[in-house]
Amino acid sequence: SEYQEPQDARRTDVTYDDLGGLGDTINQLREMVELPLRYPELFQRLGVDPPRGVLLHGPPGTGKTRLARAVANESDAQFFLINGPEIMGSAYGESEKRLREIFEAATKAAPSIVFIDEIDSIAPKRGQVTGEAEKRIVAQLLTLMDGLEPRTNLVVIAATNRPDAIDEALRRPGRFDREIVIGVPDESGRREILAIHTRGMPLGEDVDLGELARTTFGFVGADMAALTREAAIEAVRRIMPKLNLEEGTIPPEVLAELRVTRDDFLNALKRVQPSAMREVMVQA
Ligand code: ATP
């Protein structure tokens, strides 16, 4: 059976505007991925092969997946997702088969981006500790990448938070020979991320996104998203007593007045910990 992805999985409406604090990264990715996907004739004219594989590395929750979706969308390319741990879980021989099927479908649908999330789980360093399954899957992935025709308009983007843990063979020329490092956002990055996640949210006049950005040191994008969600839940809790739940509907004037306030954010801050800190605490 040919690999089938849910219809909407290949389409994505994420844009560069949905990513905060990643201006430089977006520029690098546009040059490495969007340009060759959009204008393959530039590279053909110059007689050079466009980049085939790009490795994104950075801590969890910094937007790697969102970034890959955005670059696919903005390049008018089809998006194919391979989840490392998930594909590893398949029965003997199934993982390689699925990889082959995905590459085949992506080649047919080109221009395409194949995104491999958590590549370290598929392709860890091949050593004594590595099992037979991993060895076969790494070998299959390398064969597939090496076997792509130079004119196939397909870029493989892989994400990892442990770049040292992946098989060196993957880093050779023609494979994942480009690298983009994504860091933990700074204050202005956090401000941008907050603005994105509160875009559709009615905010109280006392909410100061600059203040929130200053007080969220160590938060990554996923933490900022969690904070915003938690603040919204605080706002809901606050208005619950005003609701007559027996009626089954919420009066329009109550909805119209509903705002997420500074206090909602401050209460949310007590519940949401930055993931970087969690790691530090676990290690300690
Ligand atoms: P993981 O390594 O855990 O898969 P990731 O780096 O791929 O994480 P995403 O899955 O892209 O991160 O991000 C998780 C969620 O966090 C996103 O859906 C988004 O809501 C939010 N997020 C992360 N980074 C950003 C960012 N730079 N701008 C806006 N939102 C972000």
Side-chain angles (χ1 to χ4, degrees):
S1 68
E2 201 198 317
Y3 172 78
Q4 288 285 339
E5 210 167 358
Q7 269 299 300
D8 56 359
R10 286 191 197 175
R11 293 255 146 73
T12 145
D13 50 16
V14 182
T15 73
Y16 296 137
D17 289 340
D18 298 314
L19 288 154
L22 292 176
D24 289 344
T25 310
I26 290 169
N27 287 338
Q28 288 178 55
L29 215 60
R30 292 193 73 168
E31 201 178 293
M32 278 182 212
V33 179
E34 188 182 329
L35 203 65
L37 282 177
R38 257 185 202 291
Y39 310 106
E41 65 271 29
L42 277 179
F43 291 80
Q44 279 159 21
R45 172 81 183 123
L46 297 173
V48 297
D49 293 335
R52 187 55 86 194
V54 177
L55 193 64
L56 293 181
H57 62 85
T62 46
K64 298 183 291 297
T65 305
R66 200 176 246 220
L67 195 60
R69 285 190 182 280
V71 76
N73 184 31
E74 304 247 11
S75 314
D76 284 324
Q78 301 282 336
F79 185 78
F80 292 83
L81 178 85
I82 297 174
N83 182 274
E86 199 181 290
I87 211 163
M88 284 307 299
S90 317
Y92 186 94
E94 269 301 308
S95 317
E96 296 97 296
K97 184 162 166 264
R98 276 197 63 199
L99 277 181
R100 285 195 301 273
E101 285 169 352
I102 293 169
F103 269 73
E104 199 178 303
T107 302
K108 270 192 204 150
S112 310
I113 286 178
V114 174
F115 177 66
I116 309 179
D117 201 9
E118 297 187 55
I119 192 165
D120 41 283
S121 65
I122 314 189
K125 284 207 167 76
R126 283 182 284 189
Q128 315 83 309
V129 286
T130 318
E132 281 306 311
E134 279 97 340
K135 285 186 196 160
R136 289 196 326 263
I137 292 166
V138 179
Q140 178 67 82
L141 182 61
L142 296 181
T143 305
L144 287 167
M145 287 187 78
D146 294 348
L148 290 168
E149 298 287 333
R151 292 204 167 205
T152 301
N153 210 354
L154 185 159
V155 178
V156 187
I157 302 179
T160 179
N161 41 47
R162 302 183 308 153
D164 304 330
I166 68 167
D167 194 321
E168 287 106 1
L170 283 168
R171 313 286 281 271
R172 304 234 175 89
R175 297 171 180 172
F176 296 99
D177 51 5
R178 315 291 169 104
E179 248 175 64
I180 297 181
V181 180
I182 300 179
V184 171
D186 61 8
E187 187 183 317
S188 77
R190 294 195 298 274
R191 174 88 172 67
E192 284 179 36
I193 297 169
L194 269 174
I196 289 167
H197 287 279
T198 54
R199 225 154 29 192
M201 189 178 268
L203 295 176
E205 277 174 14
D206 58 353
V207 173
D208 176 355
L209 296 185
E211 174 199 35
L212 288 170
R214 276 194 300 284
T215 52
T216 43
F217 180 81
F219 280 57
V220 295
D223 301 329
M224 300 306 270
L227 177 69
T228 316
R229 271 194 306 273
E230 199 60 47
I233 292 168
E234 288 290 334
V236 170
R237 280 201 190 109
R238 196 163 40 72
I239 64 145
M240 284 304 264
K242 286 198 202 172
L243 302 178
N244 180 359
L245 293 178
E246 307 284 283
E247 276 176 20
T249 53
I250 298 172
E253 63 278 11
V254 174
L255 266 191
E257 275 169 26
L258 183 56
R259 298 275 184 282
V260 182
T261 65
R262 178 171 183 269
D263 274 346
D264 293 331
F265 275 99
L266 296 184
N267 287 328
L269 265 173
K270 292 177 199 155
R271 298 172 196 274
V272 181
Q273 298 286 313
S275 39
M277 288 302 177
R278 276 200 296 273
E279 258 162 52
V280 172
M281 288 190 311
V282 168
Q283 278 163 14

